Each structure stands twice: as C-alpha cells, then as structure tokens.
Amino acid sequence: MTDPFDLHGHTVVVAGGAGLIGTALSRGLADQGATVVVADAAPDRGEAVAADVDGRFVETDVTDESSVEALLATVVEEFGSLDGVVNCSYPRNESYGARYEDVTYADWRENVDLHLNSYFLLAHRASLLMREQGHGSIVSFGSTYGVQAPDFSVYEGTEMTSPVEYAAIKGGVLNLTRYMASYLGRDGVRVNAISPGGVFDEQHPTFVAEYERRTPLDRMADPEDFVGPVAFLLSDGAGYVTGHNLRVDGGWTIC
Ligand SMILES: NC(=O)c1ccc[n+]([C@@H]2O[C@H](COP(=O)([O-])OP(=O)(O)OC[C@H]3O[C@@H](n4cnc5c(N)ncnc54)[C@H](O)[C@@H]3O)[C@@H](O)[C@H]2O)c1
C-alpha cells in the first residue's frame, strides 16, 4: 500500500518559508518528499533554506499582486503543477506589537492589510490555478488568538502583549478558510488552517513560565511541531478534510 502522507510528486509553495516556523516547514516537507518552493521577502535567509532543502527560492512580496502572480507563474513553468500552498508569512509594520492604547488607526489598517489581505491574495490566486488543474491543497496559518481572546495574565511582568490587530487578522484568516473550502470543494481544491500556540523564541522567562503553566502539554511549541500537521493537510491522506482548523497548541484552547 502506498503511504497516504507521502509528498513525493507534490510541489509546495511555503510563503514565509524562511521564517521561524517556515524554515522548519520547508525542511520537514522536503523530508516528506515534497519539492519545496520557498517564497519569502528575505533573500539571504530564503536562498539558504532553499539550498538546504534542495528546493527553489523565489523572492516574493506576498502583499504585492504582481509579485504573487510571478511566483505562481514560475512554479507552474518550472515544475508543471502547483499542488500545495502554505500561507506562513508574517508581514507587519514597525509599530506592530504596540500596546492597545497606542495603536493608531493608520497602523491598524496597515497591519490588517499587510497580513490578512496578503493571505487572501496568495490563497485566492493559487486556488484559481488549482481549480484549473482540478486539485490542490491550501493551508493558512491562523492562531489560537483567532479562535479565542488572549489571556493577558500571561504577559504580566513583561513588556509583551498580543496586538489587537492579530485578533481581527487571525479570526479573518479562519473564516476566509471556511468560505474558500465551501466554494472550492467541488473543484477538488481543499482549504484548511493551522492554529498554532505560542512558539518558544527566547521570550521573557516570566512569560514562558506562565505560558507553560497554562498549557496542558506543559511547554511552548517548537517550530517542528507544525511539520506533521501541515504535511498531513497537504497530503492525499487528508483527501476528505477541508475547511478544518487544526489547533496545534498543546491543548491551550481546550482550557
Ligand atoms: N511564532 C509564533 O509563536 C506563532 C504563533 C501563532 C501563529 N503564528 C503564525 O505563524 C506564521 C509564521 O510566524 P513566524 O513566527 O514563523 O514568523 P517569522 O516572522 O519568524 O517569519 C515570517 C516570515 O515571513 C517573511 N515575510 C514577512 N513579510 C513578507 C512579505 N511581505 N512577503 C513575503 N515574505 C514576508 C519574513 O521574511 C519571514 O521569513 C504567522 O502567520 C504567525 O501569525 C506564529
């Protein structure tokens, strides 16, 4: 019997593929057999990741229509088909992360635009291509904070917060996923989301301790924790899974 989770023969674009999570995804999906196209705005990191996974780097600005169209055209021209797309970039402006009281309307608009609208742009254009092919799988990164409100107590004693824009962006990503899954199901295009919990990235120790205390699996996420779930959603083994939000959060959202 063939392995339903094998990704040989799948060409997968990982947007944000040179980031904290994206690097682990690029490596992990390549290990599963996928041909990985790293689409990122950072050329140095992007080239390095692509070389590491024997893949292809395409410098891409996911917020720019012509850049996204050029990315997809390159993939089809060089690899013949576009089998999977992972929306894992994290575009934001310099003010992103400001306290609730300090968020200007201009920053709100810009950050929602950069992140939510770019996720739509790539998923939308990819889905039209996939519809022509008659198959494809799109996975977009949401967040636990697209599912529920932040627990602000975990930030006490630190300068950290959860930006208010994030609630709208990630809530939007999750419902966009459901819309697209419903609209495109009959065309063989599956659309799903992953909602990660917080990834350990040398944050303030007080935050880390509080975060772990509140998490049933008792730790923050590692970037590698998302490889299996994303590979699953991209694979033929998930052929009857669409419109799903797979929470990969150590149990955070059940409490
Ligand atoms: N890190 C976490 O704790 C966490 C938790 C929940 C959800 N997420 C989600 O996971 C996704 C990835 O997060 P991350 O922590 O890996 O982020 P990151 O900042 O480490 O990486 C993001 C990547 O996106 C690239 N990028 C930024 N703007 C771009 C643009 N305009 N065009 C193309 N590429 C661009 C960056 O160069 C970078 O390589 C995001 O959707 C984020 O919201 C992250």
Side-chain angles (χ1 to χ4, degrees), residues 41 59-72 89 91 113-115 117-122 125:
E59 186 171 347
T60 308
D61 178 356
V62 291
T63 69
D64 181 272
E65 223 172 327
S66 56
S67 181
V68 167
E69 283 168 0
L71 163 71
L72 298 179
S89 62
D113 180 31
L114 289 169
H115 195 149
N117 294 348
S118 69
Y119 271 44
F120 166 75
L121 175 62
L122 177 58
R125 296 304 155 89

Side-chain angles (χ1 to χ4, degrees), residues 132-151:
E132 275 174 37
Q133 296 174 164
H135 77 277
S137 172
I138 297 170
V139 180
S140 291
F141 269 68
S143 166
T144 50
Y145 286 168
V147 177
Q148 63 180 203
D151 175 351

